[in-house]
Amino acid sequence: MKKEIVVSGIRSTGFLHLGNYFGAIRNYVRMQEEYPCYFFVADYHSLTTHPDPLLLKPNVYRVLAENIASGLDPEKVALYVQSDIPEIPELYLMLNMLAYKGELEKTASFKEKARNQPDNVNAGLLTYPTLMSADILIHKASFVPVGKDQEQHLEMARNFAQRFNHRYGELFPEPHPFNFGEALVKIPSLDGQGKMSKSENENATLYLADTDEVIRKKVMKAKTDQGPSEENTPMPDYIQNLFDLMKLVSGEEVIRKYQLDYAQCQIRYGDMKKQLAEDMVDFIRPIREKAIELQKDEDTLRKIMKSGKDKARDSASKTLEEARKAMGINFYC
Ligand code: ADP
Ligand code: TRP
């Protein structure tokens, strides 16, 4: 086992999708064999949009089940729920003293959320990057497997870690985004407009819980055109996206065939989408079926959560004690 610590989280804001799988979970599954890993359901992070309290529990249980169904082994990693670890909000409070209003307001995700929900630009939204930094630094993580959209948040986590170390003495390693040396991933939506996401663009996002029929329908609806009429025509974004999706689930020969068809202006997008749909169905079906089974067994999920909580608190309480001491908050000795 290598010594670098790994942390990553997924918000409990809805159904997991191919972006979560290929941007994050696929790497969790590989990393669990090589590193000490802490993976969690970021339920506090989901509160920024004021979700219905009744939906929190099913959402948290589903995210746990879908992670396990995707190959995460709760025996090998600490798999826990963020709100089970009180050390995280305490470190968040400390880090907020090192986070400046100007830089928080400039964060791309804050600006986007503030635009989308102008009536609810709350302080939790503004300080989202400090909570995320606390999630990571509480275990002194070095590697954070995430998709491309999290790059800026990781940069902020490094800044906060450096500031803490500079002011109070070396405590935190600098956390870096991780994708086995490759560029971070962004899985495009099926309509070519932005990325797959839990809550936006539902018809152009493939969820791990989608039925075979729904998968086929969504893929067949993906935007195409008449096809190129001249050789060497550059691919429009929405066609490139279909090829990118194919690369995730289809065999190399299949992909080569359609690339050649495109180059020779003979591509039949209907056939290509049928192939993509079937390969997606084959990929998603076993994960969906396993996740459904797991969700029926709440007792086991509760046991997993509890065991993850014990492992995570063990590590978190040590770091928090060191952080308190470094800041001078140790009044009984
Ligand atoms: P969402 O954005 O769908 O609500 P989260 O914010 O909880 O999902 O993200 C959980 C993980 O999944 C993060 O590591 C994030 O970078 C990754 N992720 C989400 N969407 C995509 C995507 N379309 N492509 C690649 N990675 C993604
Ligand atoms: N902010 C991440 C997202 O929106 C989720 C997240 C919360 C996270 N805390 C984290 C990811 C810590 C990695 C590490 O996708």
Side-chain angles (χ1 to χ4, degrees):
M1 197 57 76
K2 294 182 181 136
K3 67 177 187 325
E4 288 91 349
I5 290 165
V6 175
V7 167
S8 195
I10 298 186
R11 291 180 300 154
S12 44
T13 44
F15 291 78
L16 298 195
H17 51 84
L18 280 195
N20 301 132
Y21 182 88
F22 286 103
I25 301 172
R26 176 174 59 170
N27 283 345
Y28 301 177
V29 173
R30 273 180 76 186
M31 292 176 97
Q32 69 183 345
E33 310 296 337
E34 295 177 37
Y35 298 94
C37 292
Y38 296 87
F39 297 123
F40 66 98
V41 185
D43 58 335
Y44 279 150
H45 278 274
S46 74
L47 299 182
T48 56
T49 50
H50 301 169
D52 179 345
L54 291 176
L55 290 181
L56 282 191
K57 182 179 163 189
N59 273 339
V60 165
Y61 277 54
R62 183 166 3 83
V63 174
L64 286 171
E66 290 183 330
N67 269 283
I68 300 166
S70 300
L72 210 61
D73 181 349
E75 300 273 323
K76 290 185 180 151
V77 305
L79 179 59
Y80 58 98
V81 181
Q82 184 185 32
S83 60
D84 264 341
I85 316 299
E87 290 81 4
I88 294 174
E90 194 169 337
L91 182 61
Y92 161 68
L93 182 147
M94 294 170 174
L95 294 177
N96 268 333
M97 311 304 166
L98 301 171
Y100 294 97
K101 179 172 164 274
E103 64 186 334
L104 294 170
E105 280 172 345
K106 268 193 257 155
T107 314
S109 59
F110 173 71
K111 288 202 281 192
E112 192 194 319
K113 289 262 164 56
R115 235 187 350 261
N116 291 344
Q117 50 180 70
D119 299 332
N120 183 20
V121 185
N122 58 63
L125 204 58
L126 183 68
T127 57
Y128 186 103
T130 40
L131 180 55
M132 177 160 163
S133 303
D135 293 330
I136 296 167
L137 300 179
I138 199 71
H139 301 299
K140 299 190 180 177
S142 299
F143 296 147
V144 186
V146 281
K148 185 148 181 57
D149 59 312
Q150 297 302 309
E151 228 162 16
Q152 188 181 28
H153 292 154
L154 260 293
E155 191 184 324
M156 295 175 84
R158 286 196 294 282
N159 285 339
F160 300 148
Q162 276 168 7
R163 268 177 225 166
F164 187 102
N165 291 347
H166 189 248
R167 188 169 287 273
Y168 301 113
E170 200 68 25
L171 179 61
F172 299 116
E174 280 184 25
H176 288 273
F178 187 93
N179 184 22
F180 288 94
E182 308 264 322
L184 299 186
V185 173
K186 174 184 160 186
I187 303 302
S189 66
L190 282 165
D191 61 5
Q193 312 229 314
K195 61 182 187 96
M196 288 198 186
S197 132
K198 287 207 213 86
S199 40
E200 298 147 36
N201 232 350
E202 279 168 26
N203 289 325
T205 294
L206 291 172
Y207 297 95
L208 301 179
D210 278 347
T211 61
D212 295 355
E213 268 330 289
V214 168
I215 298 168
R216 290 191 183 104
K217 246 191 221 142
K218 286 183 181 174
V219 174
M220 294 314 288
K221 271 209 202 131
K223 178 175 171 181
T224 52
D225 51 30
Q226 305 294 318
S229 50
E230 278 174 44
E231 284 187 15
N232 297 323
T233 309
M235 255 182 215
D237 283 354
Y238 48 91
I239 300 296
Q240 181 64 52
N241 284 348
L242 287 183
F243 275 99
D244 288 348
L245 290 170
M246 216 173 200
K247 282 179 201 152
L248 302 173
V249 292
S250 303
E252 272 176 35
E253 266 175 40
V254 170
I255 299 163
R256 245 197 319 274
K257 171 197 157 11
Y258 287 103
Q259 280 170 336
L260 202 65
D261 286 353
Y262 183 89
Q264 297 173 342
C265 306
Q266 300 173 354
I267 190 151
R268 294 161 62 128
Y269 288 129
D271 291 352
M272 178 178 173
K273 287 197 282 187
K274 259 189 215 143
Q275 175 78 46
L276 177 61
E278 289 320 306
D279 292 339
M280 281 292 177
V281 163
D282 288 345
F283 178 81
I284 290 175
R285 186 192 291 131
I287 298 180
R288 179 187 67 227
E289 287 176 351
K290 180 137 196 244
I292 290 173
E293 278 312 303
L294 287 163
Q295 282 170 88
K296 286 185 195 149
D297 187 359
E298 287 199 4
D299 266 355
T300 301
L301 288 176
R302 263 189 293 274
K303 275 188 200 127
I304 289 170
M305 266 192 298
K306 169 81 174 58
S307 138
K309 168 184 168 172
D310 293 343
K311 292 187 219 171
R313 284 204 72 185
D314 223 32
S315 145
S317 58
K318 285 189 191 115
T319 310
L320 189 69
E321 210 37 54
E322 288 178 287
R324 290 177 68 119
K325 210 161 148 196
M327 293 180 91
I329 308 177
N330 57 333
F331 305 137
Y332 289 95
C333 51

